[in-house]
Amino acid sequence: MPTLDDLKVGHCALIKHIQDPDVATQALRMGISVGETITCLARVPSGPTVIQRGGMELAIGQALSQQIEVELQ
Amino acid sequence: MSSGRATVASDPHVCSGGPHCSTVSDIAIDNATETIALAGNPNVGKSVVFNALTGLYTNVSNFPGTTVGIPSGMMEGNRLLKDTPGVYGISKFSEEEMVAEKAILAADKVINVMSALSLERDIFLTQHVIDYQKPMVVVLNQMDEAEKNGVIIDIPKLEALLGVPVIPTVAVTGEGLNQIIPTLSQARVGNPMPDCPDPEQLKALEDNPVQRLHIYGLRRQYINALVHQVLSNNEAKKQTFSFSRLLGKLLLNPVVGAISGLMAMVALYQIVGIWISVNLVDITEKKLMLGYIVPGIQALFSSFLPKTSALYTILAGEFGVFTMSIQYIFGVLFPLILGFYIYISILEDCGYLPRIAVLCDGLLTKIGLNGRAVIPIILGFGCVTMATVSTRVLTSERERTIASTILAITIPCSAQIAVIVALMAMAGGLKAWAVFIGVLSLVLIVMGTALNKLLPGKSTSLILDLPPMRVPSLKNIARKTWVRTMVFLKEASPLFILGSLLVSVMQVTGLLGLSERLLAPLTVDLLHLPTQTAQIFIMGMVRRDFGGAGLYFLAHQLSATQILTALITIALFVPCIASFTVIAKERGTRESVMLLAGSWLIAFAVGALTVRAIELSGIL
Ligand SMILES: Nc1nc2c(ncn2[C@@H]2O[C@H](COP(=O)(O)OP(=O)(O)O)[C@@H](O)[C@H]2O)c(=O)[nH]1
């Protein structure tokens, strides 16, 4: 399954699953939870993915974003 | 708006000791009728609100790189307002979250600042505090920006659903802020989420990671439904073109980011490196301190102490407690630190700093750090002591160890820049610079990679909220800079004083001369430098720039290769006494002793290799 790390700028994706429970916990607090749709706003090559949800922009490091499975919309 | 006094008291759990770490011992504070915690996510405008309520801004925003101190101040009605670090939640994921949780749970009431721009995110903390049944008031800030983005919030409904008063504000213009104090008396325990256990039980459950995830899921579900009822978007009102968004996005583009990052570094070098640490320090230290203040102090002491006595040397001699430390703290450190904090505060306030962190994250993860470490690293070019203190913003102990080591060994502080610049010109200019920067970067990369491989555990990954790009507010910058500088000087001055005490005692007892003689074989055989250079290394421990300055006086007898070798070795060699003391305090004895030994080893090994490489290749 693709992860957040596979997204390209402009992609919309639905969050399907977050592997690490600590990551899932942190993401929940930020409003990123399974079933949510996010947009990829920027990519740093072999670095963080910047996503947008509502008025919020969030940068997620590569090790984390590889643990967040998504479905492209 | 009330006026009041503010005190900065470090949280006892963050601060390991020392006089400044005592709890707030202010008579007014002892008599406070109630304690109120100011809580909120990072970048919601909490600092502006804190300042408005207490009349004095004190800084504890989440991403600045100072300390996890808890600033507090008195506000109207004899209430004690305690700021807390800006955090996304109170789940013990970092030292700051623990500090925030403690402060919130210990308070009588909570003022929770939210941003109307990021309601979905911020409301998690709000609901969490409600579930802990703390009486509270919500300040819904940044209403102006929400409006610009077409975000409409039904405030009466939000109030009803949360069960606590909600005050809409625009903190930067002061709009709505005068409602906060009158509303405090109506602070209430809000509506906990359905089937929420009582606070004690909830806390116990949330201490278990599996249970916590489950509860957080329920809480998220509940508040998402709640937000759905109060939030609507008016697409028509939304500004279609936002310069702030465009700029924010552009700065994340790797090419634009690299160019602007480079420009930011050049500006830093020119403003802080040259104008402040060379030109301004020349006036403050050489003209002001050495011209008037130090001779004055010496005259004072010599009026009742013979100039040849040991006590005079210790108190007012070359490295004296009342001479060198005052000269250094006020003549050198103060302008430097001020310059660096102004720079960092501007980058932070306009929203550029977190974007630099994002761009550097990929590289920094290779050495076991993450994007957040850009702050200590930038500050390290100013003063390693200041930067070591700022490693407190890093999440794990592992990252703090790596960052402190890198700072202590490979980052030359700007006290040295003046002499380095002068010496580089003598050592062959551009080529010499290339070798110098190349060698130091190589050591940094090798050391960081090795530490990342060797240290047990795993470093944490970046999760960072990117605030919109904003026009920096002069007032905010001025206050942040001032408070940070004061907090730092209060914390570090005793260390610099201790350093000069140590050295002057070594001077009086003859230990200084002895250590220079002991070092001499190393410098001569290993580094191919003349005997006198041993003295330079010892002086470099007292004050980094003393090392360079000593070298400057010898430079006419040295070849370009020798100058460069000495500079590289000094840069890698033990950090100055003050920063070593800070490292010992922050990182413990074991780690600091290892670091001390490591820096000797690395400095001389790299120095020896460099000199041979230069001699063989003949590039200079
Ligand atoms: N437009 C607007 N900007 C604000 C408002 N409140 C704060 N800011 C800006 O938001 C940024 C973050 O504010 P600050 O108080 O440092 O945030 P903190 O991290 O919560 O302490 C600063 O650049 C402020 O000038 C507001 O109501 N409207």
Side-chain angles (χ1 to χ4, degrees):
Chain A
M1 188 169 268
T3 64
L4 260 193
D5 189 42
D6 299 316
L7 295 188
K8 302 229 154 41
V9 177
H11 279 172
C12 272
L14 181 76
I15 301 191
K16 296 295 279 186
H17 179 66
I18 301 176
Q19 284 161 15
D20 186 286
D22 265 5
V23 177
T25 310
Q26 288 202 44
L28 270 178
R29 307 189 310 180
M30 305 283 232
I32 311 289
S33 46
V34 173
E36 219 81 61
T37 312
I38 52 94
T39 315
C40 175
L41 205 66
R43 285 289 343 231
V44 181
S46 62
T49 309
V50 181
I51 60 171
Q52 185 180 11
R53 181 178 172 271
M56 213 176 82
E57 291 175 21
L58 204 63
I60 300 183
Q62 199 175 29
L64 280 190
S65 59
Q66 284 171 346
Q67 298 208 15
I68 303 180
E69 292 172 5
V70 296
E71 187 182 282
L72 273 178
Q73 302 265 292
Chain B
M1 224 93 325
S2 83
S3 66
R5 284 181 295 160
T7 341
V8 180
S10 299
D11 184 274
H13 297 277
V14 175
C15 214
S16 49
H20 59 285
C21 287
S22 58
T23 43
V24 186
S25 61
D26 215 339
I27 299 164
I29 289 172
D30 288 341
N31 293 338
T33 50
E34 54 184 2
T35 305
I36 296 174
L38 188 66
N41 282 233
N43 290 310
V44 294
K46 203 161 58 66
S47 315
V48 184
V49 172
F50 179 83
N51 174 53
L53 291 178
T54 60
L56 201 152
Y57 177 101
T58 325
N59 158 63
V60 181
S61 54
N62 192 38
F63 200 55
T66 46
T67 70
V68 199
I70 294 246
S72 55
M74 294 304 293
M75 58 186 223
E76 225 172 81
N78 213 10
R79 300 176 173 105
L80 174 65
L81 183 67
K82 281 194 166 185
D83 200 356
T84 64
V87 292
Y88 299 117
I90 38 176
S91 331
K92 305 193 177 71
F93 278 126
S94 69
E95 205 174 12
E96 293 186 324
E97 290 191 9
M98 286 184 233
V99 170
E101 182 183 29
K102 280 213 169 75
I104 290 171
L105 293 181
D108 299 311
K109 288 177 183 166
V110 175
I111 299 176
N112 174 219
V113 185
M114 289 167 93
S115 164
L117 264 185
S118 50
L119 187 70
E120 296 115 306
R121 182 196 70 195
D122 296 1
I123 201 169
F124 191 89
L125 180 66
T126 310
Q127 187 62 44
H128 205 163
V129 178
I130 291 179
D131 291 346
Y132 278 154
Q133 299 189 8
K134 277 278 156 195
M136 71 171 195
V137 170
V138 165
V139 172
L140 190 60
N141 191 36
Q142 298 177 336
M143 288 298 287
D144 56 331
E145 288 192 331
E147 200 166 315
K148 274 187 210 148
N149 282 286
V151 174
I152 299 167
I153 298 170
D154 183 343
I155 291 172
K157 201 161 187 181
L158 181 63
E159 244 176 0
L161 290 172
L162 290 175
V164 300
V166 176
I167 309 160
T169 61
V170 181
V172 279
T173 62
E175 217 179 300
L177 291 179
N178 57 2
Q179 292 302 312
I180 299 177
I181 288 173
T183 313
L184 262 179
S185 54
Q186 301 159 38
R188 286 191 293 276
V189 175
N191 306 328
M193 61 176 177
D195 305 319
C196 185
D198 67 65
E200 296 281 296
Q201 233 179 328
L202 181 64
K203 214 169 168 306
L205 285 174
E206 287 187 346
D207 278 343
N208 172 331
V210 180
Q211 295 283 2
R212 181 174 65 189
L213 183 56
H214 177 67
I215 295 173
Y216 278 22
L218 293 177
R219 185 176 294 131
R220 175 48 70 188
Q221 228 173 4
Y222 170 69
I223 55 176
N224 274 359
L226 193 158
V227 168
H228 193 74
Q229 293 182 56
V230 299
L231 188 74
S232 52
N233 277 303
N234 185 340
E235 290 300 326
K237 265 195 156 176
K238 185 170 177 169
Q239 293 179 342
T240 40
F241 176 78
S242 156
F243 181 68
S244 151
R245 279 194 186 280
L246 185 75
L247 185 64
K249 216 181 140 186
L250 213 56
L251 287 173
L252 285 172
N253 174 293
V255 179
V256 180
I259 295 172
S260 58
L262 208 66
M263 273 160 42
M265 285 310 275
V266 171
L268 177 69
Y269 175 77
Q270 184 61 39
I271 298 171
V272 187
I274 302 299
W275 289 341
I276 295 184
S277 54
V278 179
N279 302 345
L280 184 63
V281 167
D282 203 53
I283 299 174
T284 52
E285 183 179 30
K286 304 256 159 55
K287 302 224 163 62
L288 190 66
M289 288 297 156
L290 291 179
Y292 303 98
I293 313 274
V294 171
I297 293 170
Q298 286 178 327
L300 186 73
F301 276 96
S302 61
S303 67
F304 58 89
L305 276 175
K307 272 196 164 177
T308 47
S309 67
L311 195 60
Y312 178 86
T313 312
I314 291 176
L315 295 178
E318 193 185 353
F319 310 119
V321 172
F322 287 94
T323 41
M324 192 182 77
S325 44
I326 288 182
Q327 170 197 342
Y328 196 47
I329 293 169
F330 295 102
V332 183
L333 275 180
F334 180 70
L336 265 182
I337 303 286
L338 198 68
F340 258 82
Y341 276 142
I342 291 178
Y343 182 80
I344 282 279
S345 302
I346 293 177
L347 291 192
E348 182 197 16
D349 209 63
C350 68
Y352 185 36
L353 198 57
R355 288 173 170 85
I356 301 182
V358 171
L359 287 172
C360 297
D361 183 66
L363 290 178
L364 289 168
T365 47
K366 301 241 172 355
I367 55 171
L369 296 172
N370 73 40
R372 285 178 149 242
V374 289
I375 303 225
I377 291 176
I378 294 179
L379 291 178
F381 287 101
C383 168
V384 174
T385 313
M386 156 172 87
T388 308
V389 172
S390 81
T391 59
R392 290 176 193 164
V393 297
L394 304 180
T395 318
S396 67
E397 284 302 310
R398 184 178 199 269
E399 287 155 68
R400 297 185 59 194
T401 300
I402 297 177
S404 314
T405 312
I406 285 176
L407 285 170
I409 297 183
T410 59
I411 310 278
C413 64
S414 52
Q416 295 162 277
I417 285 188
V419 271
I420 293 181
V421 169
L423 284 164
M424 281 301 173
M426 300 170 80
L430 228 57
K431 254 196 235 161
W433 269 114
V435 175
F436 183 75
I437 294 173
V439 170
L440 289 192
S441 318
L442 195 70
V443 175
L444 190 153
I445 293 168
V446 171
M447 211 170 58
T449 316
L451 282 173
N452 190 26
K453 289 252 152 39
L454 296 176
L455 287 177
K458 228 176 68 186
S459 291
T460 53
S461 201
L462 186 77
I463 297 194
L464 193 64
D465 166 61
L466 301 180
M469 296 293 294
R470 300 183 168 105
V471 178
S473 131
L474 212 64
K475 214 164 120 190
N476 217 0
I477 291 169
R479 290 208 181 100
K480 278 187 192 180
T481 305
W482 187 248
V483 172
R484 283 172 187 175
T485 309
M486 285 304 131
V487 169
F488 173 72
L489 285 185
K490 240 170 81 185
E491 184 151 357
S493 299
L495 305 177
F496 287 97
I497 293 171
L498 191 77
S500 50
L501 180 67
L502 207 74
V503 179
S504 33
V505 169
M506 278 173 73
Q507 190 188 22
V508 172
T509 52
L511 275 173
L512 201 60
L514 182 70
S515 52
E516 282 168 14
R517 280 195 299 283
L518 284 177
L519 203 61
L522 274 180
T523 53
V524 175
D525 300 332
L526 210 56
L527 302 178
H528 302 180
L529 293 172
T531 333
Q532 310 94 293
T533 40
Q535 189 194 358
I536 295 169
F537 288 98
I538 297 297
M539 282 298 109
M541 288 170 67
V542 182
R543 259 177 66 169
R544 292 310 284 258
D545 55 329
F546 273 10
L551 192 62
Y552 190 74
F553 292 117
L554 285 180
H556 57 95
Q557 313 168 17
L558 302 177
S559 70
T561 310
Q562 284 177 321
I563 293 178
L564 193 56
T565 310
L567 268 180
I568 289 174
T569 318
I570 291 176
L572 293 172
F573 198 55
V574 206
C576 71
I577 293 177
S579 58
F580 182 70
T581 323
V582 161
I583 295 168
K585 204 177 116 197
E586 295 279 321
R587 310 302 318 146
T589 322
R590 202 180 75 103
E591 207 173 302
S592 40
V593 169
M594 274 168 66
L595 196 116
L596 198 63
S599 73
W600 274 70
L601 209 73
I602 293 174
F604 284 101
V606 172
L609 284 175
T610 311
V611 68
R612 283 164 183 81
I614 299 175
E615 282 167 359
L616 280 176
S617 65
I619 53 165
L620 277 189

